[in-house]
């Protein structure tokens, strides 16, 4: 086997057996709130750390926020309805997907009223931190989208 390291200097989330099993289901609750969430942040890859940071700030403001990590949508989609409802309850319409890829796909998970922080163009080239800032992959942008959703 080989060891693979990211050059992105991403935060590492500790994994136990339960987390490993959840990851194998394609999407899982990475960070939960007490009680029913009023907002769900869905992220994948390097954007998960942005979602966690935004959730921490929103929680500090008294908001009930859940972070769902979605490493493999096709595997998540193959799960039974009860599991999908447990992770993404239909009663919670305030959702934001954060994915440094094409945005349109994520409406499947956030609905027509949700927000997506994603790319709408292709082929941009610059250092990652500049691209993330340019395309709104920032905690501040997530907080602004959350505020907009939660004031409805």
């Amino acid at each position: 086997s080989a060891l693979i390291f990211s050059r992105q200097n991403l935060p590492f989330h500790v994994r136990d057996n339960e987390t490993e099993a959840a990851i194998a289901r394609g999407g899982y609750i990475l960070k939960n709130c007490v009680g029913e969430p009023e907002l769900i942040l869905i992220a994948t890859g390097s954007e998960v750390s942005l979602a966690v940071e935004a959730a921490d700030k929103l929680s500090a403001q008294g908001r009930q926020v859940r972070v769902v990590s979605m490493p493999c949508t096709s595997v998540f989609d193959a799960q039974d309805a009860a599991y999908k409802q447990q992770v993404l309850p239909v009663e919670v319409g305030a959702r934001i997907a954060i994915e440094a890829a094409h945005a349109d796909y994520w409406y499947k998970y956030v609905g027509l009223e949700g927000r997506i922080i994603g790319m709408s163009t292709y082929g941009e080239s610059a250092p990652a931190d500049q691209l993330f800032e340019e395309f709104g992959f920032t905690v501040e942008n997530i907080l602004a989208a959350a505020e907009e959703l939660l004031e409805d």
Side-chain angles (χ1 to χ4, degrees), residues 5-10:
F5 296 94
S6 173
R7 297 182 320 185
Q8 294 178 298
N9 196 24
L10 300 173

Side-chain angles (χ1 to χ4, degrees), residues 33-34 36-39 54-66 146-147 149-152:
C33 56
V34 177
E36 175 117 353
E38 59 183 316
L39 173 68
D56 288 344
K57 291 187 182 230
L58 289 163
S59 296
Q61 297 171 7
R63 295 298 191 167
Q64 297 289 91
V65 182
R66 171 180 291 176
E147 184 178 315
L149 269 176
L150 294 171
E151 69 183 24
D152 290 342

